[in-house]
Each structure stands twice: as C-alpha cells, then as structure tokens.
Amino acid sequence: MSERVSGIHHVGFTVTDLDRSVKFYTEVLECTVVVEQEKKGGYLGAIVGYPEADVRMAQVQPPGNTPRIELFEYRTPRSASKDLEPRNVGNAHVCFVVDDLPKMYERLLEHNVTTFSEPIEIDTGVNAGGYGLYAKDPDGITIELFQLPKSKR
C-alpha cells in the first residue's frame, strides 16, 4: 500500500438544516441520497476536533461517476455563520456539469434559487465555448453549474 492520494471520495459542507439541504440537492440538482446517519462523539469527535460532536449527516451522489457531497448538520456544537463570498479565502464551491445550462437556469428560477447571473458564455481559455454560472444553496454555499463546450462533450 502506498501513501499517495488515489482520488476524491467526497466534498463536505456544513449546513444549518440537513433536511432542507438534502431536499435542495436531490430535487433541484438531481442527486441521490447514498447514506444518512447520526454520529455522537467517538471517532468523529476526534477527527473534527469536537470531542462531544453530535451531527446528522447525509452523503448525496450527483448523476454520473463523481465524488459524493457530504452534508453535515452540527447539533453540538452549533454551527457559526461565515461570510461565504466567493472571493474570501477558504470559501469553497462545488461545480456540477450540466448538459443544458439554460434549461437548468430555468429550473433554478422555478425553485427560487439565488443565482449570481444568468448563464454566461465562457469566451476565453480552455473552456471557451462553454457556459457557466454561480448560484447559492439554501445556506449560501456557492454552487457552480458548468456546460462543457461542444468540443469537449
């Protein structure tokens, strides 16, 4: 066995309401729930640095063979709000590939999802000819939606 990194299993986000977030990721972004569970203390408390941690979590799987998204709702200690502006150091986002970004944009609007813009054509660089936009999940976490350029589909 090697000590090298061999892939990405999941990307994690802390959320304020697990049920609300699972609904967003499954109904709006068409992810599938892979697992839901609750954990208190033990190994989880040791890993996250809160010995008495009490969390509800779910892992959702986007369509295709992609890493899972892990959603954590901390019951103890309660989560603190952060400024989730894209420009802030430490702010993360996850990028979903979509087949038809204009249709997905309409879906986002139907679900009252906050977007930073309408779909924007990428006019320079390796993804020229594609389209992208940023949106926010129910906790304000940045979600990028990206339509590949025709040459890369």
Side-chain angles (χ1 to χ4, degrees):
M1 183 174 278
S2 170
E3 72 281 354
R4 71 179 179 83
V5 173
S6 62
I8 294 176
H9 182 265
H10 68 270
V11 174
F13 293 120
T14 300
V15 300
T16 55
D17 181 331
L18 184 65
D19 297 326
R20 178 183 69 176
S21 293
V22 166
K23 183 176 180 179
F24 171 81
Y25 285 90
T26 57
E27 291 183 7
V28 178
L29 299 178
E30 299 179 326
C31 295
T32 302
V33 175
V34 176
V35 65
E36 289 186 70
Q37 59 185 348
E38 297 181 14
K39 297 283 184 182
K40 291 184 181 183
Y43 81 89
L44 176 71
I47 289 172
V48 300
Y50 305 117
E52 302 302 319
D54 177 2
V55 302
R56 293 180 59 221
M57 63 80 66
Q59 286 186 352
V60 296
Q61 176 77 49
N65 187 20
T66 60
R68 298 173 180 179
I69 298 170
E70 187 170 70
L71 305 169
F72 260 53
E73 176 188 342
Y74 279 85
R75 293 186 285 205
T76 304
R78 288 302 299 168
S79 300
S81 295
K82 293 283 284 178
D83 183 357
L84 298 177
E85 289 296 317
R87 64 186 167 86
N88 289 342
V89 174
N91 188 57
H93 75 272
V94 63
C95 180
F96 291 87
V97 176
V98 299
D99 294 330
D100 186 333
L101 191 52
K103 282 187 181 177
M104 176 56 83
Y105 178 65
E106 292 302 320
R107 181 187 189 112
L108 296 174
L109 295 179
E110 288 170 10
H111 284 87
N112 298 311
V113 175
T114 299
T115 63
F116 289 56
S117 68
E118 60 188 30
I120 302 295
E121 183 175 2
I122 301 166
D123 59 5
T124 61
V126 297
N127 293 315
Y131 288 85
L133 69 77
Y134 272 18
K136 292 184 177 191
D137 87 348
D139 282 297
I141 296 167
T142 304
I143 305 297
E144 182 178 0
L145 299 164
F146 172 59
Q147 180 179 322
L148 292 165
K150 288 182 183 177
S151 63
K152 294 186 178 183
R153 290 185 216 164

